[in-house]
Amino acid sequence: VFSTLHTTDARQSIERVINFFPLDQSNHVRLHLSLNLQAVISQRLLPRKDQPGMIPAVEIMVNTSRIREAIATNKIYEINNYIAEGEIYGMQTFNQSLYNLAKAGAIDEEVALSASSAPEELRMQLRGIFSNITENKRGKAIVGAQSRLQKKGEDIPLVTDDEGQTSQHPAPTAEPPKPPSPSTPPPKKSWWH
């Protein structure tokens, strides 16, 4: 553990660390932070609905290449989107965590809304209005590909899975790429991959 900070989320934690240093060193600090940071985990303890006690709503940010680049190039405002799209890396936003806890019955929806940094967005998600939220088979919120496709104006068809659940999934946009011919050398990888 590098530090415990009194901040509300991962983005604010990164900004706080950078702001500890003089302004003329911020580029250097951002670069070093982007290369050395492993993860940021933020939590908010909330009263349980299903039993006595508290339960954490947790935002998890893993320092992926996209987040590393956002920190190094001072595009920290993009981090929340990358967290929302990063379920494959184990990431989730507070709203995703609050949504999952409320849908599982662990917390009351009003408690979730009061703990959210974006309560109107969460309210729409809980009512099924927010179109870039779906649930995977484990019932966890997924944000990302749908919102990117909808921003481009592409239609997202409804698909029924093996269990009869209907959800939206992006349609395939093109044929899969063909493998390179034996005479074509493989592309060189950059040193940062």
Side-chain angles (χ1 to χ4, degrees), residues 143-160:
V143 179
Q146 289 186 321
S147 62
R148 285 194 306 275
L149 290 173
Q150 287 174 337
K151 286 177 187 174
K152 293 179 183 178
E154 296 180 28
D155 190 29
I156 300 174
L158 289 176
V159 175
T160 303

Side-chain angles (χ1 to χ4, degrees), residues 40-51:
V40 175
I41 301 170
S42 303
Q43 70 176 1
R44 298 175 190 169
L45 292 175
L46 305 171
R48 294 187 71 113
K49 173 183 172 183
D50 57 348
Q51 62 187 10

Side-chain angles (χ1 to χ4, degrees), residues 74-93:
N74 199 22
K75 294 182 180 176
I76 297 169
Y77 57 89
E78 295 177 347
I79 287 176
N80 287 344
N81 292 332
Y82 297 152
I83 294 171
E85 296 171 356
E87 183 188 32
I88 192 169
Y89 301 106
M91 293 193 275
Q92 69 178 3
T93 64

Side-chain angles (χ1 to χ4, degrees), residues 95 113 116-127 130:
N95 267 6
L113 291 167
S116 174
S117 300
E120 288 305 313
E121 180 181 302
L122 181 60
R123 181 175 280 112
M124 289 188 291
Q125 292 168 357
L126 290 168
R127 290 183 175 46
F130 205 100

Side-chain angles (χ1 to χ4, degrees), residues 44-46 55-59 92-119 122 125-126 141:
R44 298 175 190 169
L45 292 175
L46 305 171
I55 189 168
V58 181
E59 180 175 84
Q92 69 178 3
T93 64
F94 269 119
N95 267 6
Q96 288 169 322
S97 180
L98 292 166
Y99 175 86
N100 291 331
L101 290 170
K103 285 298 183 184
I107 61 172
D108 187 64
E109 285 188 12
E110 289 306 313
V111 169
L113 291 167
S114 68
S116 174
S117 300
L122 181 60
Q125 292 168 357
L126 290 168

